[in-house]
Amino acid sequence: MKREQLYDHLGWLTNASVNFELLCRRPTPGDLGSYVVKNRCLEYRQFGVVHWTELHDLDPLRPYVNFRFQDMVSLEQLQYDLGIDEEDTYVHVDEHLYDWKLYEDLSEAKHLLKTGTNFFDSFGGRRYYKVYTLEHWRRRPERLLQLGGIFSSTRISLTNPRHIALREKIASALHYRRDNTAIGETVQRIVDYLGGKGTYVGVHFRTGDSPFKRQINQNMVLFAQGLANLTGASITLPELSPTAITGKDEDDPSRPNRMMLLPSYDGLNTPPWSRVCEPVPADGRPITSGSRTTIYIATDHRDPRGPESQLLPWFDMYPCTVTLGDLPDYLFDPLDRVHDYIVPGKSLRPFLIPIVDGMVAAHASQVFITPRSTYSRYIEDMNRAWR
């Protein structure tokens, strides 16, 4: 989607004056207008708006950073709210995703350019080949700088100790809230159901999009070996073959008999789970339970236990694994209280599931993360803060 089109769509989707419930109502017998296909309504049904304060407590940042909340995602609306016109606005357009990086140390930036090392080759392509400095942005005469995107945990290279400390404050404030919010209550319910904070090992297994989809089997081996080293498990690693990647091996006589061990309705402290699986020791003692160690996998895989799942070999190696889909539905009831910020009648429950999934993994004794995934690193940061 082109930038102009993206701004237009986001502006419409966050416009509280639009009667979405009428315009995008489901087809209803006797209501001819409800059968008219509206392309934008397809986006509306896959789009949710939540206020920053529902996810993050940013008040600790106010003594250090000036910021304001913008309800409508529209450059024109932002200009109007700030009393700024187009001549006083600079819109930076990225030529490619992750094409620039900001360097605080001018000598570092010059060295990279002089030696031709101003790039990083990722499995997603070449990154950060444009070198920007603070002075680059200070020279802009406009009052409003609209950046195309600053996503990435390595986008800014800082050297000033004060700035590094401020970045840590910002990172801490951007951890998901765990206090009296519906999301925090849901996460606490699930963590208690699993046995409590630190009683399981976490894994964040990203699989859904390229290039992570191509790395599923390699990452599975990485996680499995890491857990074997941690727990003393004796496992047979899956071979790096098309069979192991696709999971289509039902007719293979050499395939082990899968033990489909699922948690009970009341929690992991009840049979049959409690007879087979063991929690992580609460007193910090080494984990010696091997493949019987309780593990929680947070993943964007749509059906980890399905017959076509690439993750099936995992459950052979570590049968005491819990995924979000294994959990009883009642644990998620608090999410029914969260509604769309623009359309109060719209439930945000399905939109919040990935957040809850990641937060549960972050409450583990430790978490294994998908290499090169920014969201994985975010979960790892929360895990370190919440231990």
Side-chain angles (χ1 to χ4, degrees):
M1 184 178 294
K2 294 182 178 180
R3 177 174 58 87
E4 296 79 7
Q5 187 181 11
L6 178 63
Y7 275 133
D8 176 64
H9 285 226
L10 289 177
W12 183 76
L13 289 166
T14 57
N15 189 343
S17 67
V18 177
N19 190 341
F20 291 100
E21 292 180 307
L22 175 63
L23 185 65
C24 298
R25 62 194 184 278
R26 297 287 184 179
T28 305
D31 182 1
L32 184 61
S34 67
Y35 287 89
V36 177
V37 177
K38 307 175 184 68
N39 291 335
R40 283 190 168 188
C41 289
L42 299 177
E43 295 177 355
Y44 161 73
R45 296 190 181 101
Q46 300 176 33
F47 188 85
V49 181
V50 62
H51 199 273
W52 276 94
T53 55
E54 185 73 35
L55 301 177
H56 311 285
D57 179 12
L58 301 182
D59 285 342
L61 293 180
R62 291 195 180 277
Y64 310 98
V65 182
N66 292 323
F67 62 88
R68 68 189 298 276
F69 297 114
Q70 185 69 23
D71 293 342
M72 185 175 176
V73 184
S74 162
L75 181 58
E76 290 77 13
Q77 186 65 42
L78 179 60
Q79 291 170 329
Y80 176 82
D81 293 343
L82 297 177
I84 292 176
D85 57 25
E86 288 189 10
E87 293 183 355
D88 217 6
T89 302
Y90 172 72
V91 179
H92 180 78
V93 180
D94 296 338
E95 293 182 9
H96 301 284
L97 192 65
Y98 307 118
D99 64 0
W100 64 268
K101 183 170 181 175
L102 180 67
Y103 294 87
E104 184 174 40
D105 187 345
L106 183 59
S107 61
E108 180 187 8
K110 289 180 176 179
H111 174 75
L112 291 173
L113 291 172
K114 184 178 180 179
T115 58
T117 55
N118 53 307
F119 62 88
F120 172 75
D121 281 330
S122 166
F123 53 29
R126 180 155 289 191
R127 311 296 196 199
Y128 306 141
Y129 50 87
K130 292 183 180 178
V131 175
Y132 291 157
T133 64
L134 292 177
E135 189 60 30
H136 171 83
W137 297 115
R138 289 194 182 111
R139 287 197 301 264
R140 299 295 321 181
E142 299 86 359
R143 295 166 59 201
L144 175 61
L145 304 181
Q146 176 77 13
L147 302 184
I150 59 172
F151 183 79
S152 174
S153 56
T154 58
R155 172 79 75 164
I156 302 176
S157 175
L158 298 177
T159 55
N160 187 315
R162 289 179 53 221
H163 295 165
I164 294 173
L166 178 58
R167 179 172 61 184
E168 293 304 313
K169 286 186 174 68
I170 295 173
S172 178
L174 290 177
H175 291 159
Y176 290 132
R177 298 181 63 163
R178 297 189 295 164
D179 53 4
N180 287 328
T181 64
I183 299 172
E185 183 181 342
T186 303
V187 171
Q188 190 59 56
R189 280 184 168 205
I190 296 173
V191 171
D192 291 343
Y193 171 92
L194 295 174
K197 185 175 73 172
T199 60
Y200 52 93
V201 178
V203 177
H204 180 245
F205 203 154
R206 187 168 172 181
T207 69
D209 56 335
S210 178
F212 299 103
K213 186 178 294 185
R214 298 194 299 268
Q215 301 292 322
I216 288 178
N217 206 41
Q218 290 87 338
N219 287 336
M220 185 190 303
V221 170
L222 179 69
F223 295 147
Q225 187 61 65
L227 274 161
N229 295 337
L230 176 68
T231 66
S234 177
I235 59 172
T236 301
L237 294 172
E239 296 180 3
L240 299 181
S241 66
T243 299
I245 294 175
T246 62
K248 298 178 180 179
D249 58 351
E250 295 302 320
D251 297 327
D252 183 358
S254 65
R255 181 183 65 81
N257 294 321
R258 291 201 165 96
M259 179 175 63
M260 191 60 71
L261 182 63
L262 297 175
S264 68
Y265 185 84
D266 297 319
L268 302 191
N269 59 347
T270 57
W273 188 277
S274 60
R275 294 197 185 109
V276 178
C277 305
E278 295 186 20
V280 171
D283 56 5
R285 287 180 290 112
I287 304 173
T288 59
S289 44
S291 60
R292 294 182 293 113
T293 304
T294 299
I295 299 166
Y296 182 84
I297 284 189
T299 180
D300 55 355
H301 196 288
R302 292 184 177 275
D303 188 13
R305 296 186 185 272
E308 302 293 320
S309 172
Q310 305 97 314
L311 305 189
L312 286 180
W314 178 272
F315 300 101
D316 294 332
M317 296 181 288
Y318 295 102
C320 294
T321 295
V322 183
T323 69
L324 193 83
D326 301 330
L327 300 173
D329 196 60
Y330 73 86
L331 295 173
F332 301 89
D333 287 347
L335 296 182
D336 292 330
R337 304 200 306 264
V338 186
H339 292 82
D340 192 274
Y341 185 66
I342 303 298
V343 186
K346 181 179 181 179
S347 172
L348 288 185
R349 174 169 173 162
F351 296 92
L352 300 175
I353 293 300
I355 294 176
V356 170
D357 200 22
M359 290 179 69
V360 172
H363 280 80
S365 60
Q366 70 178 78
V367 62
F368 291 84
I369 64 171
T370 302
R372 300 186 181 181
S373 166
T374 297
Y375 193 56
S376 262
R377 291 189 61 175
Y378 179 55
I379 292 173
E380 183 181 47
D381 287 343
M382 290 191 293
N383 176 252
R384 288 172 178 166
W386 294 348
R387 286 180 189 172

